[in-house]
């Protein structure tokens, strides 16, 4: 039998000789030590080489095969134009700018949207679906949502033809990341298992942080794609994880699941967990998000009254609702998406709302009426300008819902979507400042009032650049990503301000509303297109200025507007009202 020490010396020697592909070393090993099998390799051997392809899977770096093809003629693109081409059966976004041609992967690394349909401004392109931004020269992700970059390709112009060279046929790329350095005695603790913590952790590793990184979360899963839960309640856990465990281990990111922080001692720089343990930190991120608000009425404690908070909640709601009578309370984004998902699975879906229309405060009556019609066409019933007086049960389970108007709805399941409460209770008694609604207050660097403590995501209140630094709380998936990155850079003493433009989306029966900006307090809505026909662009106006926009089947208008806002441009009411939208550079 070959001693382990000999095997170790062999592997270290071959690595030291700089073999390009691990299979070469493994093949030679097999020749020298027949009958001995090495374990399958996971990820890059040194924790520094970027992965390729699907970032959720740790896979060996493949042989670098180059494919060069003519993508188009030089005359096919003018300055400031982009075109989707195929090279080696791979979709490539080809862009012509002031400095010439550049080429990156053609599909957004978030959900695979065709970037050619997005908004190009300067050196970056914004995804038309959810607003992620990528540098067209490097492929690096510059705004969110999403975690991964695009592959960047070589471009050559010769004799009026544009040639593009690709490698590996990858659709996305993990930015180069380091790992834990054993002799670095420094710990960053991230409380909360959402995108703010994950992006913060990855940004630290991308910027050569070698200390210990610990994510503490109450969730039973590793960080996952939470917006999918309300759109597809029965999704499998493996399909929503943002990163797999081997990726996190490879880069020295610890995740403590099903563990809850119950207090923070800012003087001692420690956190206490519900299991009685106490742990020290050097820097801390509070990214605990919000929890679904419970209903305060008789019967709210019955067994089949549910909120959508976790992966387990989603699976349970689906199980209870199939073929049954469901009452959804709330007509904001979560309630409407749950109703849409269950519309063809439950026997009856009834939705209760306190306003005249869904989304009335956020998107306005016209958009809300249109959204309700989409669900009415799927036999969803609405009970508006009403509320729940009592939930009645039998044998501890829901039987019917009594409305304030006196009507009674039969029900097997009640799903609540009536708002959220910040998860900041554990900060009581600490020196960390919160506002009147219990959000953690931070500055543009995501710093709290306590040194070395930062906050991000839904739990945080921060100054919004595009609204003259108005202190706001925006519970958007995209904003949480951006917060995490800014917090990490400032933890590393790389002063960076939070300047991301809010971008949001919701999905109803395959039809999506995009939204960019911050429209709270708007006084007028200007529409283009036709809302009833489900093809529109809405401008939200306040004090003569466009502060937000929403659209359906009007891409890439909202993505373009977000890019304009990101550069500090002011869009006036007169521009919004004009029949000429050339200022928006619509194709």
């Amino acid at each position: 039998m070959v001693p382990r020490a000999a095997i170790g010396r062999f592997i270290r020697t071959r690595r030291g000789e700089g073999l390009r592909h691990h299979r070469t070393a493994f093949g030679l090993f097999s020749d020298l030590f027949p009958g001995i099998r090495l374990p399958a390799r996971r990820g890059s051997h040194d924790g520094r080489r970027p992965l390729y392809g699907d970032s959720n899977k740790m896979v060996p770096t493949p042989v670098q095969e180059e494919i060069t093809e003519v993508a188009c003629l030089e005359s096919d693109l003018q300055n400031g134009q982009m075109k989707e081409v195929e090279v080696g059966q791979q979709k490539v976004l080809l862009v012509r700018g002031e400095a010439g041609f550049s080429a990156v992967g053609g599909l957004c690394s978030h959900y695979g949207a065709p970037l050619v349909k997005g908004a190009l401004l300067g050196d970056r392109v914004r995804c038309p679906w959810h607003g992620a931004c990528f540098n067209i020269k490097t492929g690096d992700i510059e705004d969110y949502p999403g975690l991964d970059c695009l592959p960047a390709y070589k471009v050559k112009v010769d004799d009026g033809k544009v040639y593009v060279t690709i490698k590996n046929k990858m659709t996305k790329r993990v930015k180069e990341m380091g790992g834990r350095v054993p002799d670095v005695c420094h710990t960053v603790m991230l409380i909360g298992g959402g995108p703010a913590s994950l992006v913060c952790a990855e940004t630290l590793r991308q910027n050569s942080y070698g200390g210990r990184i610990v994510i503490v979360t109450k969730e039973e899963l590793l960080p996952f794609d939470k917006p999918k839960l309300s759109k597809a309640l029965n999704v499998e856990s493996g399909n929503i994880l943002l990163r797999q465990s081997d990726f996190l281990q490879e880069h020295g990111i610890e995740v403590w699941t099903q563990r809850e922080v119950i207090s923070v001692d800012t003087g001692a720089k420690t956190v206490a967990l519900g299991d009685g343990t106490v742990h020290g930190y050097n820097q801390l991120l509070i990214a605990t998000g919000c929890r679904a608000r419970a209903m305060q009425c008789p019967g709210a404690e019955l067994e089949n009254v549910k909120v959508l908070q976790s992966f387990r909640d989603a699976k349970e709601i689906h199980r209870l609702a199939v073929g049954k009578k469901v009452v959804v309370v709330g007509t904001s984004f979560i309630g409407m998406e749950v109703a849409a998902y269950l519309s063809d699975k439950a026997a009856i879906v009834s939705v209760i709302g306190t306003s005249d229309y869904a989304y009335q405060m956020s998107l306005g009556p016209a958009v809300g009426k249109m959204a309700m019609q989409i669900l009415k066409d799927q036999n969803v019933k609405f009970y508006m300008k009403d509320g729940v007086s009592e939930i009645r049960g039998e044998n501890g389970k829901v039987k019917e819902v009594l409305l304030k108007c006196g009507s009674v709805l039969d029900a097997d399941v009640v799903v609540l979507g009536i708002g959220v409460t910040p998860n900041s209770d554990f900060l009581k008694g600490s020196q960390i400042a919160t506002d009147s609604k219990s959000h953690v207050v931070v500055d543009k660097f995501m710093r709290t009032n306590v040194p070395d403590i930062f906050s991000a995501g839904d739990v945080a209140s921060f100054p919004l650049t595009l609204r003259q630094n108005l202190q706001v709380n925006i519970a958007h998936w995209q904003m949480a990503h951006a917060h995490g990155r800014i917090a990490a850079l400032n933890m590393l003493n790389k002063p960076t301000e939070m300047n991301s433009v809010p971008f949001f989306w919701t999905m109803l029966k395959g039809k999506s509303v995009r939204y960019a900006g911050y429209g709270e307090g708007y006084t007028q809505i200007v529409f283009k297109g036709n809302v009833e026909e489900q093809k529109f662009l809405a401008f939200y106006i306040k004090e003569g200025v466009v502060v937000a926009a929403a659209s359906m089947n009007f891409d890439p208008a909202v993505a373009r507007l977000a890019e304009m806002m990101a550069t500090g441009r002011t869009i006036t009411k007169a521009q919004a009202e004009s029949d000429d939208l050339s200022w928006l550079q619509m194709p």
Side-chain angles (χ1 to χ4, degrees):
M1 184 172 181
V2 180
R4 287 184 176 271
I7 296 174
R9 283 195 301 273
F10 171 84
I11 294 174
R12 288 192 295 272
T13 300
R14 302 316 295 176
R15 284 177 176 167
E17 291 174 9
L19 288 177
R20 187 173 180 183
H21 305 298
H22 77 282
R23 288 195 182 93
T24 305
F26 281 16
L28 182 56
F29 177 89
S30 299
D31 292 338
L32 294 175
F33 305 109
I36 303 296
R37 297 183 63 185
L38 286 176
R41 179 175 179 268
R42 299 185 306 172
S44 49
H45 70 268
D46 57 4
R48 294 187 296 274
R49 182 183 301 166
L51 304 177
Y52 75 98
D54 184 350
S55 63
N56 284 338
K57 297 177 181 178
M58 301 297 289
V59 288
T61 303
V63 175
Q64 304 268 318
E65 293 184 358
E66 289 192 348
I67 300 173
T68 300
E69 293 181 0
V70 176
C72 68
L73 298 178
E74 185 178 8
S75 58
D76 287 345
L77 282 179
Q78 302 301 312
N79 187 26
Q81 292 183 331
M82 56 184 175
K83 178 183 180 69
E84 184 180 85
V85 298
E86 279 201 4
V87 179
Q89 299 182 329
Q90 187 77 15
K91 292 187 183 301
V92 173
L93 183 71
L94 186 64
V95 182
R96 186 170 188 175
E98 293 285 353
F101 288 88
S102 59
V104 295
L107 302 178
C108 178
S109 64
H110 179 228
Y111 278 9
L115 293 173
V116 71
K117 296 183 179 180
L120 176 65
L121 190 62
D123 285 341
R124 75 178 191 174
V125 61
R126 184 182 286 265
C127 172
W129 290 0
H130 307 133
C133 296
F134 302 91
N135 187 291
I136 59 170
K137 294 181 179 179
T138 66
D140 287 352
I141 189 167
E142 294 187 349
D143 211 337
Y144 303 93
L147 298 170
D148 298 323
C149 303
L150 303 175
Y153 303 122
K154 292 189 293 186
V155 183
K156 180 181 178 181
V157 180
D158 186 28
D159 194 25
K161 298 177 182 178
V162 181
Y163 294 84
V164 175
T165 300
I166 70 170
K167 289 182 179 180
N168 300 336
K169 296 186 178 181
M170 60 184 177
T171 59
K172 52 187 177 181
R173 168 178 59 86
V174 176
K175 202 167 187 178
E176 188 170 345
M177 293 173 61
R180 176 82 189 277
V181 178
D183 58 351
V184 175
C185 298
H186 190 279
T187 298
V188 174
M189 184 166 286
L190 314 173
I191 310 176
S197 289
L198 183 59
V199 171
C200 182
E202 293 197 13
T203 303
L204 289 170
R205 290 294 186 230
Q206 290 162 6
N207 286 270
S208 302
Y209 174 72
R212 188 183 186 194
I213 299 175
V214 180
I215 297 176
V216 185
T217 174
K218 293 190 294 183
E219 297 282 355
E220 60 182 287
L221 298 181
L222 298 174
F224 64 93
D225 194 346
K226 200 167 188 176
K228 284 186 177 179
L229 293 186
S230 55
K231 301 170 180 67
L233 296 172
N234 201 35
V235 67
E236 295 301 321
S237 61
N239 295 330
I240 59 175
L241 294 183
L242 296 174
R243 297 295 194 199
Q244 298 292 335
S245 60
D246 52 3
F247 177 94
L248 299 169
Q249 291 169 12
E250 183 78 18
H251 299 292
I253 300 171
E254 300 176 47
V255 183
W256 298 352
T257 57
Q258 296 180 288
R259 300 180 74 177
E260 182 178 3
V261 174
I262 59 173
S263 66
V264 176
D265 186 330
T266 58
K269 284 194 169 183
T270 60
V271 298
L273 273 58
D275 59 9
T277 59
V278 177
H279 303 271
Y281 66 84
N282 296 100
Q283 291 174 304
L284 186 71
L285 179 73
I286 300 166
T288 44
C290 297
R291 62 185 179 276
R293 189 178 298 156
M295 179 165 282
Q296 303 298 319
C297 74
E301 74 288 347
L302 288 169
E303 185 178 327
N304 287 14
V305 178
K306 300 294 180 181
V307 296
L308 180 56
Q309 185 68 45
S310 67
F311 168 74
R312 190 176 294 275
D313 292 334
K315 299 288 282 188
E316 183 70 0
I317 291 170
H318 172 88
R319 184 186 68 81
L320 293 171
V322 172
K324 302 295 185 179
K325 298 181 285 290
V326 179
V327 172
V328 177
V329 185
T331 54
S332 192
F333 300 105
I334 295 297
M336 290 290 283
E337 287 184 352
V338 168
Y341 172 81
L342 293 176
S343 63
D344 59 355
K345 298 171 183 65
I348 300 173
V349 178
S350 303
V351 180
I352 304 168
T354 57
S355 56
D356 292 295
Y357 301 103
Y359 312 140
Q360 187 156 321
M361 292 297 292
S362 54
L363 299 180
V367 177
K369 182 179 179 181
M370 177 273 299
M372 289 170 62
Q373 189 59 52
I374 291 175
L375 298 195
K376 286 179 180 179
D377 291 343
Q378 303 294 319
N379 298 316
V380 174
K381 299 179 180 180
F382 284 88
Y383 299 84
M384 302 304 290
K385 298 186 69 174
D386 213 332
V388 176
S389 176
E390 181 182 357
I391 302 174
R392 295 169 178 167
E394 188 175 85
N395 299 322
K397 296 183 179 180
V398 173
K399 182 179 181 182
E400 58 188 23
V401 176
L402 175 63
L403 303 185
K404 290 182 178 179
C405 70
S407 298
V408 177
L409 305 179
D410 290 338
D412 300 302
V413 188
V414 175
V415 182
L416 305 179
I418 56 174
V420 295
T421 301
N423 287 322
S424 59
D425 296 348
F426 70 99
L427 298 178
K428 290 178 180 177
S430 74
Q431 301 300 312
I432 301 168
T434 57
D435 64 16
S436 60
K437 295 183 178 179
S438 299
H439 298 113
V440 180
V441 179
V442 298
D443 61 14
K444 296 191 75 170
F445 302 94
M446 309 314 296
R447 301 176 301 200
T448 70
N449 61 309
V450 178
D452 292 323
I453 298 181
F454 300 74
S455 187
D458 296 3
V459 75
S461 170
F462 67 100
L464 184 61
T465 300
L466 61 85
R467 291 292 293 270
Q468 292 74 52
N469 295 326
L470 176 70
Q471 198 78 14
V472 299
N473 168 257
I474 301 178
H476 290 180
W477 187 247
Q478 166 259 347
M479 292 303 288
H481 287 70
H483 286 179
R485 174 180 176 271
I486 298 302
L489 293 175
N490 288 294
M491 285 178 177
L492 296 171
N493 199 27
K494 296 183 177 183
T496 311
E497 294 187 356
M498 175 64 198
N499 289 315
S500 185
V501 174
F503 202 105
F504 175 80
W505 70 96
T506 189
M507 182 74 72
L508 299 174
K509 306 306 295 185
K511 297 168 184 174
S512 185
V513 176
R514 332 273 193 214
Y515 181 95
Y518 184 73
E520 186 169 310
Y522 70 86
T523 55
Q524 181 185 356
I525 307 176
V526 175
F527 285 99
K528 304 296 178 183
N530 191 306
V531 179
E532 292 182 359
E533 294 178 1
Q534 299 170 17
K535 184 175 182 177
F536 67 89
L537 172 62
F539 296 104
Y540 297 83
I541 314 294
K542 183 177 182 180
E543 297 176 354
V545 172
V546 174
V547 292
S551 75
M552 177 179 281
N553 292 320
F554 221 90
D555 290 338
V558 169
R560 289 189 182 278
L561 194 80
E563 279 299 270
M564 295 171 70
M565 289 180 170
T567 60
R569 288 183 59 178
T570 297
I571 300 97
T572 66
K573 175 183 174 182
Q575 287 176 293
E577 291 177 332
S578 173
D579 292 332
D580 181 7
L581 289 180
S582 59
W583 58 269
L584 195 52
Q585 301 173 19
M586 290 294 292

